[in-house]
Amino acid sequence: MAAQSFDVVVIGAGPGGYVAAIRASQLGLKVAIVEREHLGGICLNWGCIPTKAMLRSAEVYHLMHRAKEFGLGATGISYDLPAVVARSRAVAKQLSGGIGHLMKKNKVTVFMGAATLPAKGRVSVKTDKGVEELTAPHIILATGARARELPGLEADGDLVWSYKHALVASRMPKKLLVIGSGAIGIEFASFFNTLGADTTVVEVMDRILPVEDAEISAFAKKQFVKQGMKIMEKATVKKLDRVKGKGVTAHIRGDCWQCRRAGA
C-alpha cells in the first residue's frame, strides 16, 4: 500500500496533540493525527475529567448529609458505586467523542493505532486493520506520560491500585492508603474519604499539594483533616506486604509525628 502524504503528522491526541493538529489545519496544512487509545488522551479519558465527575458525585453525597443545615430533609442517603463509576466513564466517553467531531470539522485525518518512526519523515501506524504508512516533512510528538511503577509498590488491580483501577473501582475499600498528594492523588483521597473509606495520604514532601501555593496547601490540609482524612507528610512508603483476602501492610518511614506514632 502506498504511503499517504501529509504536511504534518501529530502523534498523540491528548490536549497538546489535538490542539496542535487543529491549529495546523486552520493554517492551511494537511494534517493527520495518530492515537493509540482514546482521543483526548489521559487527561480527558483517565485523568482530570473522570475524576471530576466522581468528585461531583461525592460532593452531592456530602451535601445530602448536610441537608438539615439548609432547611431540607433527606433520609436513607446512600450511594451506588458502580453507577458513580458508570456516570464518570460516560462523561469521559461523551467528551472524547467531541474531540472526534472537532477532528472531522477541522479536516484532520485520524488514525487509531500505535505509531513508530521507521525513518526520517515517515510514520508507521499499526491499526486493527493492518499497517498504515504516512509521510510528512513535519512530525509532532505529543505522546504525554504514563504512571510510573515504584519498585515494590507495583499495582495489581486487587490490593494495590493504579489511577486506572481507582477510576473503575468495583468495591469501596474500608481503609485506603494514597501514595502521593498531587492533584490526582488528593482527588482520589477526597472521593473515597467522602464515601466512607478510612483514608490516609502519604506525601514525601513537607506539605500536601506541593506544587501549589503554600497557603492553598495549608487550607486544603485543614479541610481534609476536618473531614476525617489522615495526612502523613515528609514520609515514604518503603514496602508493601500483601495478604490476599486480608489487605496490605505498608511500611512507612519519615520524621512526621504520625510515622513515629505508627512505629514506622
Side-chain angles (χ1 to χ4, degrees), residues 224-242:
F224 290 138
V225 171
K226 185 178 179 180
Q227 294 168 20
M229 193 183 299
K230 302 177 186 67
I231 295 176
M232 304 169 70
E233 297 162 331
K234 294 192 288 186
T236 305
V237 178
K238 307 300 291 186
K239 180 184 175 184
L240 297 178
D241 294 332
R242 316 179 197 208

Side-chain angles (χ1 to χ4, degrees), residues 186 190 193 208 220-229 231:
I186 283 295
S190 178
N193 185 72
I208 63 167
K221 178 182 178 180
K222 183 177 180 180
Q223 293 301 311
F224 290 138
V225 171
K226 185 178 179 180
Q227 294 168 20
M229 193 183 299
I231 295 176

Side-chain angles (χ1 to χ4, degrees), residues 1 58 72-74 77 89 98 101 114 151 154 159 208 235 238 245 255:
M1 182 182 295
L72 305 173
I77 301 168
R89 301 313 308 153
H101 174 72
E154 294 85 0
L159 297 177
I208 63 167
K238 307 300 291 186
D255 60 0

Side-chain angles (χ1 to χ4, degrees), residues 11-20 33-35 38-44 99 142:
I11 301 175
Y18 78 75
V19 172
I33 193 165
V34 182
E35 170 56 42
H38 302 291
L39 294 177
I42 290 295
C43 178
L44 192 155
I99 301 300

Side-chain angles (χ1 to χ4, degrees), residues 17-36:
Y18 78 75
V19 172
I22 290 173
R23 186 59 181 147
S25 182
Q26 290 173 342
L27 293 172
L29 300 174
K30 184 181 180 183
V31 184
I33 193 165
V34 182
E35 170 56 42
R36 182 179 59 186

Side-chain angles (χ1 to χ4, degrees), residues 38-120:
H38 302 291
L39 294 177
I42 290 295
C43 178
L44 192 155
N45 293 279
W46 293 102
C48 38
I49 299 301
T51 57
K52 298 299 186 299
M54 294 177 78
L55 281 170
R56 177 58 175 160
S57 294
E59 179 187 24
V60 173
Y61 180 74
H62 176 69
L63 288 172
M64 289 171 71
H65 281 86
R66 296 177 54 201
K68 190 175 181 179
E69 297 176 30
F70 299 93
L72 305 173
T75 58
I77 301 168
S78 64
Y79 63 84
D80 180 344
L81 184 60
V84 171
V85 169
R87 176 181 177 273
S88 171
R89 301 313 308 153
V91 168
K93 183 178 180 180
Q94 180 181 10
L95 293 178
S96 181
I99 301 300
H101 174 72
L102 284 175
M103 296 297 98
K104 188 178 297 184
K105 178 182 177 182
N106 287 278
K107 299 181 174 60
V108 175
T109 304
V110 177
F111 294 91
M112 298 300 296
T116 55
L117 303 173
K120 183 178 180 179

